[in-house]
Amino acid sequence: TLDQDTMPVRDQRRINLGMAGVGAGLVLLVLGVLIAHFTGLSPTNQVGQEIYPHIPRCLPFETAGSCWMIPTIGQLIGLLGSQILLGAIVFGWILGKPLTWAAATVAAAIFTLEMLILFGVVPNQWLALTQGTFEWTGQKIAFTIPSWLVLGNEVSISYGVIKDVVAGGYSAGLLGAVAVTAYKLQERAKKPAAAATPAPRLSSFGRTIVKGER
């Protein structure tokens, strides 16, 4: 049939797109890691000698000693590359394919790695940036709520609270997104199986035609 004839072409296109995505993801991942590593190094070593003086550590508007934007940009590039890489592998070789033991093992490994990145690496880097570089602690006040909104009381919100709210909101929202995505993928996997089941033949009286035994 036409579907059977075009199936290898579609599979080859998916594999080609997957290979292109893997290549692009690897390039971005390596580039981001290199940027984050070398721009995050101290300008001098323990004896006062300059280390890689040709590599910029700060943007022009940043003050010395608080250069964080270029390393953070490198980390974001690496994160984007990792997502493209993992997504390309899933799209090209796992999604929509028969679930063999090998495919299931690779898919489980990719899912575990993705969860480590999203629930481990990303929150850790957020806390490292806010606690270390920005020094967002409970003693640093971000803003004070107007007294008429809190019955005349004085309520202040610290940067430490903002840091924890962002981290907690990110984890809770991501957990919900993972659950919804898993459900959608499960429902999507059921559709081909349901479509492959032929509809029962009906007689002119509306009854299901059943072949008799010979």
Side-chain angles (χ1 to χ4, degrees):
T1 62
L2 180 61
D3 291 340
Q4 292 175 345
D5 294 337
T6 57
M7 189 67 69
V9 177
R10 294 176 182 175
D11 289 344
Q12 188 60 44
R13 288 178 180 175
R14 289 172 64 95
I15 293 175
N16 291 339
L17 289 174
M19 293 177 63
V22 168
L26 281 174
V27 170
L28 289 175
L29 178 59
V30 173
L31 178 63
V33 169
L34 291 176
I35 292 175
H37 173 72
F38 286 103
T39 60
L41 293 175
S42 174
T44 58
N45 58 17
Q46 296 178 350
V47 296
Q49 296 177 335
E50 284 188 322
I51 302 176
Y52 305 112
H54 57 283
I55 297 179
R57 266 73 165 185
C58 297
L59 293 177
F61 53 84
E62 289 185 293
T63 59
S66 61
C67 303
W68 61 273
M69 295 195 69
I70 297 181
T72 302
I73 291 173
Q75 293 172 358
L76 292 175
I77 293 174
L79 175 63
L80 176 62
S82 70
Q83 300 308 290
I84 294 176
L85 173 61
L86 297 179
I89 295 174
V90 172
F91 176 79
W93 291 275
I94 297 177
L95 191 63
K97 299 294 182 68
L99 192 60
T100 62
W101 281 106
T105 302
V106 174
I110 291 176
F111 178 80
T112 302
L113 180 59
E114 178 72 355
M115 294 301 100
L116 288 174
I117 293 173
L118 296 181
F119 285 99
V121 176
V122 174
N124 177 75
Q125 293 305 115
W126 165 256
L127 294 178
L129 180 65
T130 53
Q131 290 179 347
T133 304
F134 296 162
E135 296 182 351
W136 283 8
T137 63
Q139 288 71 37
K140 295 181 68 173
I141 303 301
F143 61 90
T144 300
I145 301 177
S147 59
W148 58 273
L149 290 177
V150 288
L151 303 177
N153 297 312
E154 183 178 352
V155 178
S156 299
I157 304 298
S158 67
Y159 282 100
V161 171
I162 297 176
K163 172 200 64 181
D164 294 336
V165 167
V166 172
Y170 166 82
S171 298
L174 184 61
L175 183 62
V178 169
V180 172
T181 302
Y183 174 78
K184 293 294 184 181
L185 290 176
Q186 185 178 13
E187 292 299 312
R188 183 178 183 275
K190 294 179 181 178
K191 291 181 180 180
T197 303
R201 296 178 58 190
L202 301 178
S203 67
S204 58
F205 300 99
R207 295 182 179 180
T208 303
I209 298 177
V210 181
K211 292 183 179 181
E213 297 181 355
R214 294 182 180 181

